[in-house]
């Protein structure tokens, strides 16, 4: 009887300690991946709405304020509106859209920027989760620009991503039986250099000017490769390729973001190398005159859902990598 009674008390205690989590927008690609990472975890209780109530404002408001942690997997305007509905002072809001990336009062959701940033995230109530192409640009330059590069350096950033980054509509286009032949080759977009990530890139890295950003979508489902070219002459006097590598090796030691010297087999570097995973690999290639700063990750993993779950783990006191696929 003593054992049974204690098991009952422990079960009740676990129920009290479990965090209530609500994904607003769980039918989209980011929301579905977050649900997949959280489903089955014993430390949280997933709050869900029946299909008939999924878009009802009153039902969403109720769960937004009932939950301990809320994921907003919505378009920018809808995310701003949903965030304004949260009145519970204890609810932590993690927004995966671009709506709050540079907004006052929101903490930037990339703990690997520094130990200080990770400490801030553990205490934050409003977290803007980084996403896709801008993610790797910021992760590479926040520290290096402080010591090896001047803030007024003019940079470019090239990203190659799988089509899942475009959401359900783009996925349907690429998987259509009679799709456009133009989808058979990589397609560059945001040609007017007005991409919504540009402001975020500048603000978080500390650069004086927005980079030239060249995003490209190609005919594979998920994965991403981001490249920042760098001339050695842009570095501080006396610095070279080894100093750049050492800066990354010191900053990115894992388990989520880590430095590697290796390319794929045969000297290639595939944008799909981290597909399905929530980790990121960073490397420096090239020579003493011209370098390539490279990051490979999954646009739905560390570029979206994986980053969001990592932030949730921090604010709930769970192990940082719990539920992640590394």
């Amino acid at each position: 009887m003593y054992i049974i009674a204690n098991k009952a008390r422990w079960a009740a205690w676990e129920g009290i300690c479990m965090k209530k989590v609500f994904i607003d927008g769980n039918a989209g690609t980011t929301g579905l991946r977050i649900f997949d990472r959280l489903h089955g975890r014993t430390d949280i209780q997933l709050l869900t709405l029946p299909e008939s109530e999924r878009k009802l404002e009153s039902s969403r408001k109720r769960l937004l304020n009932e939950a301990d942690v809320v994921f907003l997997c919505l378009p920018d305007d809808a995310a701003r509106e949903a965030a304004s509905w949260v009145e519970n002072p204890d609810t932590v809001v993690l927004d995966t859209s671009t709506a709050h990336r540079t907004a006052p009062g929101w903490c930037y959701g990339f703990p690997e920027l520094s130990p200080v940033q990770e400490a801030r995230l553990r205490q934050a109530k409003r977290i803007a989760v980084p996403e896709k192409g801008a993610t790797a640009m910021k992760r590479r330059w926040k520290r290096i620009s402080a010591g090896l590069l001047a803030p007024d350096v003019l940079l470019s950033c090239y990203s190659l991503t799988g089509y899942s980054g475009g959401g359900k509509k783009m996925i349907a286009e690429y998987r259509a039986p009679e799709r456009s032949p133009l989808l058979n080759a990589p397609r560059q977009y945001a040609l007017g250099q007005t991409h919504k990530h540009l402001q975020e890139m500048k603000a978080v890295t500390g650069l004086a000017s927005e980079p030239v950003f060249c995003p490209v979508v190609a005919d594979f489902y998920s994965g991403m490769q981001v490249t920042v070219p760098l001339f050695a002459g842009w570095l501080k006097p006396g610095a070279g390729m080894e100093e750049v590598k050492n800066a990354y090796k010191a900053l990115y030691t894992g388990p989520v973001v880590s430095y590697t010297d290796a390319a794929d087999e045969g000297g290639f570097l595939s944008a799909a190398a981290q597909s399905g995973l929530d980790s990121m690999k960073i490397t420096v290639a090239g020579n003493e005159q011209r370098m390539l700063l490279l990051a490979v990750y999954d646009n739905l993993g560390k570029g979206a859902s994986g980053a969001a779950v990592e932030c949730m783990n921090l604010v709930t006191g769970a192990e940082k990598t719990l539920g992640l696929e590394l």
Side-chain angles (χ1 to χ4, degrees):
M1 291 294 294
Y2 175 81
I3 294 176
I4 293 174
N6 274 277
K7 281 185 176 180
R9 291 193 191 99
W10 180 251
W13 174 248
E14 280 187 319
I16 294 172
C17 292
M18 288 175 67
K19 299 295 184 182
K20 295 179 181 179
V21 177
F22 175 53
I23 306 170
D24 194 10
N26 63 0
T29 52
T30 298
L32 287 170
R33 179 70 72 91
I34 291 174
F35 183 88
D36 178 64
R37 294 293 187 258
L38 299 183
H39 183 65
R41 280 180 53 165
T42 58
D43 60 323
I44 64 171
Q45 176 188 352
L46 276 172
L47 305 179
T48 59
L49 291 170
E51 185 61 30
S52 59
E53 296 183 41
R54 188 169 61 84
K55 295 184 179 181
L56 286 181
E57 181 178 319
S58 58
S59 298
R60 291 169 58 211
K61 279 184 177 179
R62 175 173 56 82
L63 291 194
L64 283 167
N65 287 281
E66 181 181 332
D68 297 299
V69 179
V70 167
F71 292 96
L72 301 181
C73 303
L74 305 164
D76 286 6
D77 289 342
R80 293 186 186 94
E81 182 178 48
S84 72
W85 293 342
V86 180
E87 299 174 346
N88 185 342
D90 296 322
T91 298
V92 176
V93 180
L94 295 104
D95 182 13
T96 66
S97 80
T98 62
H100 298 102
R101 302 271 173 80
T102 58
W106 288 74
C107 189
Y108 197 70
F110 178 46
E112 288 85 2
L113 280 177
S114 69
V116 172
Q117 187 68 10
E118 180 169 325
R120 288 174 181 157
L121 285 166
R122 291 183 184 276
Q123 303 299 319
K125 294 295 184 181
R126 296 292 183 272
I127 299 173
V129 180
E131 177 191 26
K132 301 182 180 70
T135 301
M137 176 73 182
K138 295 182 289 287
R139 289 170 189 178
R140 280 199 291 273
W141 288 102
K142 182 61 179 179
R143 276 299 188 86
I144 288 188
S145 63
L148 298 179
L149 287 172
D152 61 355
V153 65
L154 299 176
L155 298 174
S156 61
C157 178
Y158 173 90
S159 74
L160 176 63
T161 183
Y163 59 77
S164 60
K168 284 189 170 182
K169 181 179 178 181
M170 184 173 286
I171 292 171
E173 289 174 348
Y174 271 87
R175 291 181 170 178
E178 297 182 3
R179 69 183 196 179
S180 167
L182 295 177
L183 275 62
N184 296 334
R187 297 183 299 157
Q188 189 165 331
Y189 59 100
L191 300 177
Q193 288 300 305
T194 57
H195 197 288
K196 61 183 180 180
H197 288 328
L198 285 169
Q199 181 182 2
E200 178 189 352
M201 288 176 170
K202 177 185 174 184
V204 179
T205 58
L207 291 169
S209 301
E210 295 172 346
V212 174
F213 185 36
C214 306
V216 177
V217 61
D219 189 13
F220 61 103
Y221 180 72
S222 71
M224 193 154 194
Q225 181 187 110
V226 179
T227 304
V228 175
L230 178 65
F231 283 101
W234 297 345
L235 298 172
K236 71 176 184 179
M241 191 172 184
E242 198 61 30
E243 284 73 20
V244 175
K245 286 184 176 183
N246 289 338
Y248 288 136
K249 289 177 181 178
L251 184 59
Y252 300 121
T253 58
V256 180
V257 183
S258 57
Y259 180 85
T260 177
D261 278 318
D264 295 339
E265 270 186 47
F268 291 91
L269 189 61
S270 172
Q274 295 292 108
S275 180
L277 302 177
D278 299 309
S279 52
M280 171 187 276
K281 298 296 183 183
I282 289 180
T283 191
V284 177
N287 53 51
E288 289 297 338
Q289 287 75 45
R290 299 178 304 283
M291 302 171 211
L292 298 174
L293 310 183
L294 300 151
V296 179
Y297 56 108
D298 188 338
N299 55 289
L300 295 179
K302 188 57 171 165
S305 307
V309 172
E310 181 184 356
C311 289
M312 186 208 75
N313 287 339
L314 292 176
V315 296
T316 59
E319 171 61 37
K320 182 194 294 190
T321 60
L322 184 61
L324 299 183
E325 295 287 340
L326 303 176

